[in-house]
Amino acid sequence: MKVLIVHAHPEPQSFTTALRDLAVETLQGQGHQVQVSDLYAMNWNPVASAADFSERQDPDYLVYALEQRLGAKNGGLAADIQSELDKLLWADTLILNFPLYWFSVPAILKGWIDRVLVSGVCYGGKRFYDQGGLAGKRVLVSLTLGGREHMFGEGAIHGPLEDMLRPLLRGTLAYVGMDVLPPFVAWHVPYISHAAREEFLVAYQQRLSGLERDQPLAFPRLQQFDERLYPLQRA
């Protein structure tokens, strides 16, 4: 495999960073190629703006997705975006590694998504879900959080974790065509013992060792809908 790990944590000594380092060690040990984008270490700019394009289709009014398409065609994307896009297109497996912030991804990772999942390359028109521009690639979300496992699920205080991750898993990763693997979750990380953290590391290493055999989650396929994207009637 060719693996891109996008890591979003500000503390080099964090457990989230330990998960990243373990992924690099484990995957390289299996003979896979690995690249890492450490967003905080890179001082990644998360703000999508007109400065992301060397020339504009419409210099008077910014429609970001349309300018992305032009920039992708003419080589006019900002250098930091193009570098990350090249890594993404090189990889057949993406790992997003981050702590859960306010039921979502850290702002710096959201900015990577906004700027690097370029319209016209990763999606556009009816190029979404199984027809998305990144079809054939696989993605694993690896996350840490402070809550206990019993606080998430049907009837639990926070509801299902899957509901919180829906904008990421479905609205972003599945939307651009990737096969989304079940997330790896390390619960209650800031408050658990060293031994408990070691157990999570062992579990993650086991998960990584079998990553190629993981079955992706189910999401819509365009063949289930007509030309206007109404669901097809089933007999």
Side-chain angles (χ1 to χ4, degrees):
M1 291 190 299
K2 294 182 290 186
V3 183
L4 172 61
I5 301 174
V6 179
H7 172 69
H9 198 292
E11 174 51 60
Q13 300 181 79
S14 68
F15 184 73
T16 306
T17 303
L19 291 174
R20 178 204 66 189
D21 293 345
L22 179 63
V24 173
E25 178 184 352
T26 301
L27 293 168
Q28 287 183 339
Q30 294 175 328
H32 303 303
Q33 301 176 62
V34 181
Q35 293 192 64
V36 176
S37 291
D38 184 334
L39 299 185
Y40 284 96
M42 294 161 57
N43 196 28
W44 174 259
N45 171 22
V47 180
S49 73
D52 290 344
F53 312 106
S54 60
E55 61 179 278
R56 295 269 298 280
Q57 179 172 298
D58 185 347
D60 299 319
Y61 190 93
L62 178 64
V63 180
Y64 192 80
L66 297 181
E67 298 297 345
Q68 281 185 319
R69 295 180 194 180
L70 176 65
K73 286 181 180 179
N74 66 12
L77 296 174
D80 60 341
I81 296 174
Q82 188 64 59
S83 176
E84 291 302 296
L85 181 59
D86 289 344
K87 293 179 192 177
L88 180 60
L89 296 178
W90 164 85
D92 52 52
T93 301
L94 172 67
I95 297 177
L96 299 182
N97 191 64
F98 61 92
L100 195 71
Y101 285 177
W102 292 109
F103 290 15
S104 186
V105 299
I108 200 168
L109 178 55
K110 180 58 165 64
W112 187 91
I113 290 168
D114 290 346
R115 299 179 71 222
V116 176
L117 299 187
V118 172
S119 179
V121 177
C122 300
Y123 71 98
K126 288 186 178 179
R127 296 177 64 212
F128 52 83
Y129 292 122
D130 59 307
Q131 301 300 314
L134 301 183
K137 299 181 184 293
R138 291 156 65 85
V139 57
L140 171 67
V141 166
S142 169
L143 66 97
T144 60
L145 71 166
R148 297 178 184 270
E149 187 171 4
H150 74 267
M151 299 164 69
F152 297 83
E154 292 294 341
I157 185 68
H158 296 315
L161 182 63
E162 293 78 8
D163 289 356
M164 295 180 197
L165 296 179
R166 179 184 172 93
L168 177 63
L169 300 183
R170 179 170 181 160
T172 303
L173 302 174
Y175 186 87
V176 296
M178 288 191 276
D179 290 330
V180 182
L181 304 178
F184 178 84
V185 183
W187 307 93
H188 205 46
V189 165
Y191 314 106
I192 58 179
S193 67
H194 176 76
R197 292 186 179 201
E198 288 294 321
E199 290 179 7
F200 277 127
L201 291 175
V202 170
Y204 192 42
Q205 187 172 46
Q206 292 173 346
R207 178 71 186 279
L208 292 166
S209 297
L211 199 59
E212 292 175 289
R213 299 186 296 275
D214 267 7
Q215 292 301 306
L217 302 172
F219 291 103
R221 302 180 64 83
L222 261 64
Q223 66 187 18
Q224 299 169 317
F225 300 83
D226 66 20
E227 286 298 312
R228 296 183 298 164
L229 299 179
Y230 284 100
L232 293 173
Q233 297 296 322
R234 296 182 180 180

